[in-house]
Each structure stands twice: as structure tokens, then as C-alpha cells.
Amino acid sequence: MRSVGFVGVHVLRGRAEPMSSALHVVHRAKRSGLGGIILITGEAGIGKTAALDTVRAEAASAGFVVGMSKADEGDHVSPGMPLLLALRSGRTPLASSKAFDDVNTLVDQPLLLIDRV
């Protein structure tokens, strides 16, 4: 396993174990062809965005198309909206405009939304 802080994005100190776990998901997905989810949680200011940027850069360099969104506790967004935003983020969105329109109507039905996604 490479050292934490590679890909030239951020140098992360004291995050070796969580970064190793997150990067394991990326590498396992690359080897197996199966997806994975990385959820980063924690208090403000602990480096979640820096960690996520590093994981995203590694995933992109491994050939993945990467979507990203965030949900803060104080946000009053519809359930499922952060997921939908992640599907349409970035230069190469994970979902086409038509696919996004198809699932966007299910925002108020989270179980159907997750199933359709």
C-alpha cells in the first residue's frame, strides 16, 4: 500500500488507517469490477474534504468516473438529494440527463429512489 498523501492532492497526517480502508475499497472495486461505498463522517474541520479529495483523485487515476456531494446536518434538502447531486457532478456525470430526470421524480420516495439508482 502506498503511503498516505500520494497523488499530489493533500498530505494527510494521522489518517493512515481510515485512508487505507477507503483506498482498499477503491482497489477492491478495480480488481473485482464490483462497486463500493465510502462514507466519510465527522466533526467540522477534521479533514474530511482533504481525505475525500485524495480518495477521489486515486479513484480517478484508477479509471473510475467519480461523483461527489455532501450533506451537512443543518442542510434542509430533500431526502436523497445529496445522492442525486453526486450522480450529476463532475466533468463526466455518472448519470445522463435523462436518467437523472427519471430518478429525480422519486426524491420523496427514498426506497424507490435507492432501488432505481
Side-chain angles (χ1 to χ4, degrees):
M1 175 70 54
R2 294 184 226 170
S3 64
V4 176
F6 54 92
V7 191
V9 177
H10 296 279
V11 174
L12 303 172
R13 292 179 180 24
R15 305 276 186 254
E17 187 176 325
M19 287 302 298
S20 177
S21 295
L23 295 173
H24 176 74
V25 172
V26 172
H27 296 295
R28 184 183 65 217
K30 180 73 174 174
R31 281 191 316 274
S32 70
L34 301 173
I37 295 175
I38 299 168
L39 176 64
I40 299 176
T41 64
E43 300 167 9
I46 64 167
K48 295 181 301 291
T49 301
L52 183 58
D53 286 345
T54 301
V55 173
R56 282 187 4 213
E58 180 69 9
S61 72
F64 288 95
V65 177
V66 180
M68 182 184 137
S69 183
K70 69 179 207 168
D72 292 323
E73 190 173 322
D75 288 349
H76 297 286
V77 297
S78 299
M81 191 54 71
L83 174 61
L84 292 177
L85 293 174
L87 293 174
R88 288 297 297 159
S89 70
R91 291 184 202 161
T92 309
L94 296 164
S96 68
S97 294
K98 177 166 179 3
F100 179 78
D101 289 342
D102 290 345
V103 296
N104 191 33
T105 61
L106 301 172
V107 146
D108 295 326
Q109 301 173 61
L111 293 177
L112 289 176
L113 173 65
I114 289 170
D115 182 63
R116 188 72 49 90
V117 168

